[in-house]
Every structure is written in structure tokens, then in C-alpha cells.
């Protein structure tokens, strides 16, 4: 950390800051500029805890030098992490595709879709049992019965399950059925939920918050990792910007950035990221070309009759099948496979 | 709602959409333009539920005409709502000031600050017992002991209490001590938590999410109202934009917008909204001039030794006292009082 | 400036960076941390010019310590600047109100409005002769005839003129008529135009770019100041965010921030900042309470028949008159006058 | 267009709106809802010109149905446009790569780089003669001498030239040397410049504004097209969001969106879009996979000694060469070629 003193800071103020910092067990190295003094902090910054340095008299601001996440960082672990779920490895050479409807609607629906996507090469079925909805008057998911339908789809097709858990209290229940927990964008900083899925030890797909910086996202992952659960998969799903043509702005830059900063695998969700069916295939290909480890996609065999408005971003099974064929070519071009 | 068909939509597609819509019990009124057909939906739109109109064949997009929130709207209730807590009315002519430290640190701290702010004219003491922190290695609050300290501060000063609750499980515990629940920006769309405080019936300050539109914010309020709890106070606390000089961008436009769209009271938090001590006073005055019903402010008598980094945005008691004097003038100028 | 080396930077890389920097005539002070080396740069940073330090081998990134603007800064000039135009001082105790229609439509219109606003206490008439329009098929302004109408309005009412100049070539023409140049949000970084109005020496209202940080805005002002023209007035007019209820997000935080960073006067334009007539008055009051030196407002006596769509954000003369009365109270409450 | 009346609008207000609209020669079709009246506008909306409908009494807001751009739209021209410059077609099956330094520094530099990129398969050399710089104290480009150096590089290598023009006055000068005008992000809405390059008839790369919606970008293109110049190439180069890890947020969603809305070719600039050298290659591959027609890349053989800070985002020639090889595979996978 570097502490920038105000231009007119007095020697007394500088000395006070140095004394406070060194009392915590780190070394302060002041640098006398022409205009102002800058104090470098050398040593283990965590010793400073929450010391309110910026509010000390004469301090203009502080600037961090190192990233605030540890377990999630490349420095902590040099080689890529692979997460295993339902016998499938996520984060290796092989790309993973998770697909399915927005919500589990009924047994027939989920099994029909599961069979379709399995045939095309997906390895996980997704589908919401508990749905976060912007308004209270929308369909909120079928709950446990939907979890049972997902389990039945897994039994029939062999696909693994990924489904969302929305509140700490449901971690145990959802964990009984699912292979991977999904944490949604609105819950990226639901810290009690992060800790609870951390304690469960099960694989977690952690979606990026709608307005979360990459650093905040990795700090949310750190909450899970800090509970001893190394099985975190990040998921870029679009951020909120001024552009309104797309529902969100899928930020593919996050893929190579995460690969540099972290060892965790990352998948991309172009369905929510764009909110427009016709954009899903090009952005899926782009995500893989950018280096993503897999995709999370909405597929519905009958979106016109689906129970949520998200049908508009769901691929038809035939489109999904074509996309899987196209992805094989892209994957080959960058030395990976589907 | 208006449904925009694609330029080349066939009569069959148009008829299909009309049939589906009218099957739900509303009336469809097609309008044949030169380039495309537009279908107006007349009647109670809630009958359409989550019908995925946008994914129907030939539909380009839909456009809402009415706001999706009801109980929170001016149409539902014409006159302003006032919320009562600890014998104080929020939302009336008198402006309400809630002040205190970021976190409750110890008994002496909270009582010292409570006495100071009471003397200057505040009516509620704020202070975190449960703290949402971006990283897992930061101080997370003292929990129930901090709630007891707040209760002691109330006993000594007569101030009401406002403190944050972060997870549904803690609503009962926090509710035993606090007069007003605070729901933080990261929890604006924690729907289980919204419903739980809704069921409690107690006053709730609902902070706007960091990237929440005003409509989403009112829909979050609707979750609480729909549980039968009318005691919702909105709190603008800064949104996330590209500007980095301030910690967030305090969006005062939200104040008159909320006054037009809703009957709920609104307070403003310039401490988190700006993150810079010297901006708190001017933005507090601006908030009141814009029509806010009150303020939520950080005050700390010794921010240099506070337990969270937020000391940097806390007013000193003397600054707070001066601000209260200045607010009296501003309030008078717009026909209100402190 | 502080240079952050990569964690594994070699001594050779560090030495190379130091050598390059010191060759420019500044001093490098390396600080050996546990994880990485940080190099402080001491001395006149402008000596480094555009040296591409961040692209040197082993460098992770650089962090500026001082602001990159000079003439616009508080450090350069401690007391507030006042700009004089048409005999009126902008930036002093007295608040300045500039008002008028979006576009100058005809002689009668501009004189009618000028008389109305003069009666209510405005000191400048605004009105576009050259209009920046998002699309090529919209009304682009009457050009020089409109400038003559503004001059006539000045002759009749005594009001000063503020009007937009859009391209360097027109600076001479517009300058023959106007008292203050207006530089619009889309031209904040039209560097040739900034330099040209800089050379003219005339007062300039420099609107903040739609996505400009406060630092970039002050750097744009610096272009004008660097040409020897000290008469720069900043104008906050709303930034682009994710919120769509308002046309832009008027960022009043910019007012106290500018007052801290710069000596230049700042006015606020709530008409463009919000785009909604009913929000203009509350946000005008808030702007003054936040410390603005004046307002730039749209007023039209017959917006239903105006030539641009901006009528929707124009106050009627009676609303403007009431606002001027209200502003007197607010101004009094903060020790200023209208 | 659809006109939404306020809930309590009177019959008189509705009739007035209808009368005004129909007086312009279009048909108004009112639709009486339970809560409010909605008026559909049928016919050629351009007849309405700038009629300020939203400011008419009783009108809540208007909603456009059709896009406001015409010549740039898919409706106007169904098949993709190809633009020819220096004998090369842009927008066809073959992908086009334009590469070179941020600024033309000297003869040797530009020729060295031109030879390198030509060898690897680029078809255009880029390099700034006139540089838009955020602050007035930075290197602003060598001007005409730099244009001559570019011409010399073209003579030696056969590469076409693309270089930026910043102001209408320089269009003639720059046009004497360049094959393609580049219009920078800060000039996307410099309407005089758009018209001037429109009149020139020469190919133009139009970069998206930092905070421009896709619609505004296409309207800027419309300015050029409306002058009779069909040779417009769009360039996505990153938008401004809250994320600060990358310099901008390269918005690849824009690629398939533009392909749906417009017939114009689109290239992508991942160098400015990310601002980080290591991200340029993955994002280049992603851009091509998303459907872009080409790339605009910064390449510098000696960024450590470059004259602008942008060296940090420049590829070394060897990296560029490897990228060109990788792009061949990606291009093949999606049925295109480099």
C-alpha cells in the first residue's frame, strides 16, 4: 500500500501516520516529494486490518499495490484449478456446456430438454427450482418438486445438475439434489450464502454481480474458498452499462483477465449476458475463442409456452445442436475440445 | 403493453399472438402500420402473468406502458405515507436525521456518539452490528453484543435505533432490538430477506442497489409491501457509474423521481453516496433542497481509531452539529423543519 | 508518480526503469517490498513527457499521485476565479441564472422569452443558433440569423448572450455576437475547438462530456486555459449511467468536487441533466444548495409548438418565475444571493 | 411511434394531440385502455420532424417503434456492404487486419513496423499524424510530415493507409495521403467532421463513442451516408463502464448486433478496447469468432521507446505474427479467411 499525504501535510501528521502503521508491525518508508510526501507500506498488509488510514489527519488517500484476494489468486496457486462434478472435470482442456431451460416447469419439459441437449453433447442440465424475480408477482419456481424433476432428468440422461440456491437456509435442501450450486448475479455479495455454500464443499458456479468489478467478484469467490471449498467456477453473465439494446453487456474481457489474475475456471452465460436469442451463438463462439472453459446456455424446446419471459433468449434444440457443431471447430482452432 | 411485430411478420403470426393474449382474458388491438403491425394490450396486464410474448414467432419486442409496481405507486395511494418508529414520524413536514458510526465498536463509543448526535438534533442512532464487507478478511461486526449496546444507547438518549439485517435468519434477532431495519445496497434484491422483513411488520429502510434502476428499487419495495408491511422508507445511497473520484455517484435525481412515482418516504445517505467527508455537508443540503424526507449520516468522534475504513467518510460531531444548523435554514427555505 | 513493478521483476529490469526515469531529470526512489518493488518518482513529472513507462519490461503499472491539470487546479490559484461577461460577474457571491429556449426559432419567440426571464431575474439569454443533433434529419439551427435575433434580444432586454459554437471555423462568427461561448457535451474533447475558443479570450461555458470523468473535464478546461484564456466556467449537465428514467443522471456531486479541485466557477444545467420538466425545479434548488455558482435553464413560453423535442424539459415562464423566488430563499439560507 | 397519454388525460388533450399529429400528414390511432389512452402513429414518421409531442399537455411520453436511422439500416439495404480501399475489399469473406503504432514517430519507425506487419499478412498500416490527447501537455502528433512518412511506408510495402482526421479543416489535407479516414471515439458526434468526410467520398472508419449507444453510433454513420458517401466501416473500440481493470470495456456484443441492424462492415480494436497487451490476442480471436470483418491493432517494435503511453497496449511484431497465424485457424472454423 502507498499512502499519499496532502500537499500541505505537517511533519507531525506524517510522523503520526508512520507511528500508527508501524505499531501494527509493518514498515513505513516515507518518500519526500517536491509537492507532497508519499509513504510506502512494506510487509504483510493484513496486519493493518481495517485501520482507517484514509481518515487520519493529513492523509489524502491510500492506493493498494497488491490485490486484496489471496486464495483466488494466481500467486497463491500457479496452475489452473479443475473442479469435478458428476464425474466431469471443469477447467481442463475439454470445454463444458451446461444447458437447459430458465425454469423447471414440469417433468416432461425437463426430460425432453435434457435428452435433446445430452444428444448434442452437453454435460450438465440447468433449470431453476428457486427463481430470483425482480417483482413479487412473477413465477418464483416450483421449489423442491423441481429439484426432484432435475434428479429424474439426471437419472434418465446421465447429465449432471446445476441449479440455483438463493438463501443459506436452502443450501442443505438444494445440495441433496444438485451437483453444482449456482449463485446468481443478485447474490454475488450475499455473504451468508457464500459462506454456507463454502461450508458445503460442493462445486459452486459463482455468477458475476451486475455491477461487480472483477476484483469484487474474486473477493466473493474468496469467501467460499476461505471456508475450505476449493470448487469455485466463475461465470461471466453480463454487466450493467448504459447500452440498452442488449439486456446486459456480456463482458468477455473478463475471461482473459480472470485467467491472468486467478487459477479458477470460468464459464460464460451468453443467454443472460445478451438477452437476445440471435446473439447467443456468435457470443458463445466468441467466449470460447477468448479462452472460456465452458458455457451456460438456455435451451427450451417450446419457449412460446414457457413459464418465464426468458424464453426470448433460449435457443431451440436444433439451434443448440448446430452451435455445438460450430463450437467443435472453434475449440479445435484454439487447441481445445468440446 | 404494446407488442411490436417484426417488419415482415405474417398474418398467421399476428393472429397467433392475438389468440394467445386474448386467451388470458385481455383484449388485443392491432394497429396496421406501413412498415409493421403493433398490437396494443388492453385490460388487466397481470392476467398475462409470465407469458413469454417476446419469444413468440414474429414478435420483435414488447414495451410496457404501465409501471410494474402497484402498492408502491402513487396511483395506488395518492397522499404521502408516513412511517412511525420510536414515536417519530418519517415522511411528514419534519425532516428526520439518522446518524452514527459505521460499526458499533464498544459501549463507550456508541454512547458517546449517541449523546453527541442527540444534542445536535438527530432522532435515530445508526451503527452496524452485522457488517457486509467486500472481503472475508475484514471486520464483520460484533453481532448481538452490538445490538445490546445500541439498546443501551437508546435507553440513555431516547434515540431510536436503525441497524442492518443481512439474512432472513437474523430478522427475528435484530428485530428484538432495532426500531428500523436497514437493508443494505447488496441486499436490495435478496428476495427472501425482503419477504422476511415484510412479514415482521417493522419499519424498513430499503437502500437502493448499487446498479438498481428506480423501477427495480420500487419493485423490491413491492416485495415488502406485498407481505402486508406498509412501513417502507427508501434510501438513495449512490449508484455505480464510471466516475471514480467519488466512491459512488449519489443520484439526487432519484428524490424528486420517487416523489412522483411513489407515496413512500425517501431519505438520502451522502456518507456512502460520496465516500468523502468534505462532500457530506454540501450533498446533505442538496438532498434536502431536492425534497428528501431525511438523511442517514455517518458520525464518529474518533474516526482515526475506528474499526472500519469508513471513518474517512464520517463527520466529526462538531461538523455534524454545524450541518444540523445549516439544515435548519435550508429546511425553512423550502417550507419544512428539522 | 509511483511505478509498481511485477512481483517477479528482476534487478536488471528495475535498474533499467530507474535509469530511464532519471535520464529525464527526475529522481527515482525504489522501495523493496516483500512481494515486489515500488519506485517513487520525485521531481517535476512533466519532464517525463509521454515516456511509456507502463510498457517497459517488468513494470506492472504506474499510479499518478498529482492531478494532471495545473492551471485549472486549486494549487495553481487558491482563490475562486470570477468571470465577467456583459458586465455580470460569474463565480462571486451572487448566483447567475442563464435561461432561454433550446433553439432560437424566430425573432418574436426569443424576444418574448427574453423579456419574461429578464423580468424574473435572469441575467443571460440562452438559445441555440447551431444545434448538435444526434441524427442528420433533425433541425440543425438557423445559424447566423439566429445570432442576430439573440443580439436583438440583448439590445431590448440588456441580457447577456450565451450560445453554442460547434466547430473551430465558427468561433469568429459566433464570437461577433455572443458574450459567452457554450461548448456542448459532445464537444468537450473537441481539442481544436477548445484551443480556438482559448485563443479568442472570451468567456466559455464548458459542459461536461456525457461520459467524462471530472479529471478529463478539468483537462479539457486546461486546453482553454493553456491558450491564455482564464474565462472558463464549468457546467455539469448530467452524465450517462444505466438509469433510464431520467434522460441523464445529473451529477451534483461534481459541484463540491470541482470546488475542492479547482478555482473555476461551476453552473448546473438541470434541464438537460434530467430531461424532465417536473424535475428541473427541485434539482435547481439542490444544485444551489450544493454550492453551484448558477444555473443554465431551458425556458419556453410555448413548448408545444417549439422546433425541437426539448420542449419537454423547458419550464414555462410562470414556473421559472416561481423557481427564481424559491432560489432566493435557498440562496439566503447558504449565504448567497440571486 | 406510440404516444402514451397520462392516466388522467382529458378527451380534449387527446383530441389536441391527434389533431396536431394528423396536421403533419400521418394517421393517429387512439387505443382506449382501462388506465390510459395510447395513440399509435401510422405513416411516415419523418413528417413529424421535430414536433415536440412529449411536451404537449397530457402526454406522458412517446416510444419509438422504428429505428431512427435509414441509410445505415438492413431495411434499406439487405446485403452486406463492402468498402474498397487501396484495392482491398472490407466486409467480404476475407478478414482485414489494419495494424501499426499509436503515433507515427519517424520514418524509420513506421517503415520498420510496416514491413513487419506486411510480412505477417496485414493489409493496412495505421499510425497517428494528428493525435487526440486528453491533456494539452501531451505529444499531439507530427502532422503533415507524419502523413508523408505513411505515404512512404505505403510506397515501400504496398499497404494501404488508415489515419485519423480530427477537424473538418484537415479533411482535405489528410485525404491527400490516406486511403481510409479514421474518426476517433471523441469525434463520433463531431457533426461537422462527419459531414466533411461524408462529402469527401473516401472510406471512413467510424469508431464508436466511449458512451455511445449502438443507435447513436448508427445515427453518426447516417450523417456520413446522408452526404452520399456509402464507404463507412464501423469500429467497436470499447465503451466506458464501471470496470476499471481494463481501460475500456470492449463490447463484442456490438458485432452481432450491428450485423443484425445494419449492412455496414464492422471491425474491432482490442488494443484501445482493453488497453492491456496480454488481452489483445484473446480478444482479437473472440472478435473474429463473434463475426467481425477485421481488426485494428496497435503494433510497435520498440514500445519502451515509443512517444506515447499507448506502447503498453501494443503487440510486439512477433506477437502480432503469432496472432495472425491463430486468426487463420479461427477464421477457418467460421468459414472465413485472413
Amino acid at each position: 500500500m502507498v499512502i499519499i499525504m496532502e500537499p500541505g501535510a505537517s511533519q507531525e501528521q506524517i510522523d503520526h501516520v508512520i507511528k500508527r502503521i508501524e505499531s501494527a508491525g509493518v514498515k513505513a518508508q516515507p518518500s519526500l516529494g517536491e509537492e507532497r510526501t508519499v509513504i510506502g507500506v512494506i510487509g504483510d498488509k493484513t496486519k493493518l486490518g481495517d485501520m482507517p488510514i484514509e481518515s487520519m489527519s493529513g492523509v489524502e488517500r491510500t492506493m493498494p499495490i497488491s490485490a486484496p484476494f489471496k486464495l483466488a489468486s494466481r500467486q497463491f496457486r500457479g496452475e489452473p484449478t479443475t473442479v469435478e462434478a458428476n464425474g466431469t472435470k471443469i477447467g481442463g482442456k475439454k470445454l463444458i456446456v451446461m444447458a437447459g431451460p430458465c425454469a423447471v416447469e414440469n417433468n416432461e419439459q425437463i426430460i425432453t430438454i435434457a435428452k435433446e441437449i445430452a444428444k448434442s453433447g452437453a454435460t450438465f442440465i440447468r433449470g431453476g427450482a428457486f427463481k430470483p424475480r425482480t417483482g413479487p408477482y412473477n413465477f418464483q419456481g416450483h421449489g423442491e418438486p423441481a429439484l426432484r424433476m432435475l434428479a429424474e432428468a439426471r437419472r434418465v440422461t446421465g447429465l449432471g445438475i446445476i441449479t440455483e440456491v438463493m438463501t443459506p437456509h436452502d443450501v442443505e435442501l438444494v445440495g441433496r439434489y444438485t451437483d453444482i450450486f449456482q449463485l446468481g448475479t443478485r447474490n454475488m455479495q450475499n455473504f451468508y450464502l457464500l459462506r454456507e455454500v463454502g461450508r458445503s464443499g460442493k462445486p459452486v458456479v459463482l455468477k458475476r454481480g451486475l455491477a461487480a468489478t472483477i476484483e469484487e467478484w474474486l473477493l466473493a469467490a474468496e469467501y467460499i474458498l476461505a471456508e475450505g471449498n476449493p470448487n469455485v467456477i466463475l461465470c461471466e453473465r453480463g454487466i450493467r452499462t448504459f447500452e440498452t439494446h442488449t439486456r446486459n453487456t456480456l463482458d468477455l474481457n473478463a475471461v482473459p483477465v480472470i485467467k491472468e489474475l486467478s487459477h479458477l475456471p470460468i464459464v460464460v452465460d451468453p443467454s443472460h449476458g445478451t438477452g437476445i436469442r440471435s446473439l447467443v451463438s456468435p457470443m458463445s463462439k466468441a467466449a470460447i475463442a477468448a479462452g472460456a472453459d465452458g458455457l451456460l446456455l438456455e435451451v427450451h424446446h417450446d419457449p412460446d409456452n414457457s413459464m418465464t419471459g426468458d424464453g426470448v433468449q433460449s435457443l431451440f434444440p436444433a439451434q443448440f445442436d448446430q452451435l455445438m457443431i460450430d463450437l467443435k471447430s472453434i475449440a479445435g482452432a484454439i487447441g481445445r475440445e468440446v
Side-chain angles (χ1 to χ4, degrees), chain A:
Chain A
M1 191 199 296
V2 170
I3 301 167
I4 321 292
M5 301 301 293
E6 289 168 358
S10 69
Q11 192 56 46
E12 201 183 343
Q13 290 173 321
I14 295 168
D15 291 343
H16 173 72
V17 171
I18 293 174
K19 207 178 113 198
R20 281 291 303 279
I21 288 166
E22 300 209 325
S23 74
V26 297
K27 205 176 154 330
Q29 178 162 2
S31 201
L32 219 80
E34 291 193 352
E35 204 183 293
R36 62 178 101 205
T37 295
V38 170
I39 303 171
V41 177
I42 297 173
D44 178 7
K45 205 184 61 175
T46 63
K47 288 182 180 165
L48 293 174
D50 284 302
M51 189 182 285
I53 298 167
E54 291 205 330
S55 87
M56 292 179 194
S57 172
V59 173
E60 190 181 282
R61 65 188 195 285
T62 62
M63 297 191 303
I65 303 277
S66 312
F69 44 86
K70 292 185 188 72
L71 306 175
S73 74
R74 272 270 169 209
Q75 278 73 43
F76 180 75
R77 186 183 152 93
E79 73 267 41
T81 285
T82 57
V83 174
E84 195 171 328
N86 193 41
T88 299
K89 274 187 183 152
I90 300 148
K93 193 184 177 189
K94 199 170 147 57
L95 303 171
I96 300 305
V97 179
M98 306 164 173
C102 177
V104 178
E105 299 173 19
N106 56 58
N107 222 42
E108 196 202 333
Q109 174 236 26
I110 197 71
I111 293 196
T112 303
I113 297 173
K115 283 179 177 167
E116 289 279 4
I117 62 166
K119 203 179 60 191
S120 303
T123 40
F124 289 87
I125 175 90
R126 54 153 291 159
F130 299 94
K131 299 292 310 167
R133 301 305 299 271
T134 304
Y137 308 124
N138 296 100
F139 172 58
Q140 313 266 330
H142 285 315
E144 189 169 4
L147 294 173
R148 281 194 294 264
M149 296 175 204
L150 283 168
E152 175 64 9
R154 176 175 50 195
R155 199 192 55 79
V156 171
T157 60
L159 293 172
I161 298 173
I162 169 169
T163 198
E164 181 156 356
V165 61
M166 286 176 64
T167 195
H169 179 267
D170 289 347
V171 168
E172 194 275 329
L173 168 69
V174 177
R176 256 184 278 148
Y177 295 91
T178 200
D179 297 296
I180 306 179
F181 287 118
Q182 179 180 311
L183 259 59
T185 188
R186 293 172 189 80
N187 276 322
M188 192 201 83
Q189 292 189 316
N190 185 332
F191 302 120
Y192 284 72
L193 182 57
L194 292 170
R195 279 194 288 246
E196 196 67 28
V197 298
R199 281 181 213 119
S200 80
K202 248 187 202 272
V204 183
V205 161
L206 178 64
K207 288 195 159 188
R208 183 180 181 184
L210 214 49
T213 63
I214 289 171
E215 186 175 301
E216 289 168 340
W217 189 17
L218 286 170
L219 278 166
E222 191 85 7
Y223 264 93
I224 302 172
L225 298 169
E227 295 291 334
N229 183 351
N231 300 305
V232 178
I233 302 153
L234 300 166
C235 178
E236 162 62 34
R237 49 78 70 212
I239 55 172
R240 182 155 274 179
T241 71
F242 63 83
E243 177 61 65
T244 55
H245 187 89
T246 43
R247 181 167 160 186
N248 299 293
T249 297
L250 188 69
D251 178 14
L252 290 188
N253 308 282
V255 174
V257 170
I258 287 291
K259 290 291 175 195
E260 283 190 5
L261 298 180
S262 180
H263 53 87
L264 296 173
I266 177 168
V267 298
V268 171
D269 174 354
S271 305
H272 287 87
T274 66
I276 300 175
R277 184 181 294 143
S278 60
L279 302 184
V280 172
S281 288
M283 294 311 286
S284 293
K285 293 179 212 170
I288 296 308
D293 297 303
L295 297 167
L296 187 58
L297 291 167
E298 289 204 359
V299 175
H300 200 294
H301 65 305
D302 185 14
D304 271 29
N305 291 297
S306 68
M307 295 179 71
T308 68
D310 277 4
V312 68
Q313 67 200 28
S314 296
L315 294 176
F316 289 98
Q319 291 175 310
F320 178 70
D321 195 61
Q322 182 59 50
L323 173 59
M324 291 298 284
I325 292 166
D326 294 350
L327 289 178
K328 276 191 186 68
S329 303
I330 298 275
I334 56 162
R336 300 187 79 162
E337 52 193 54
V338 180

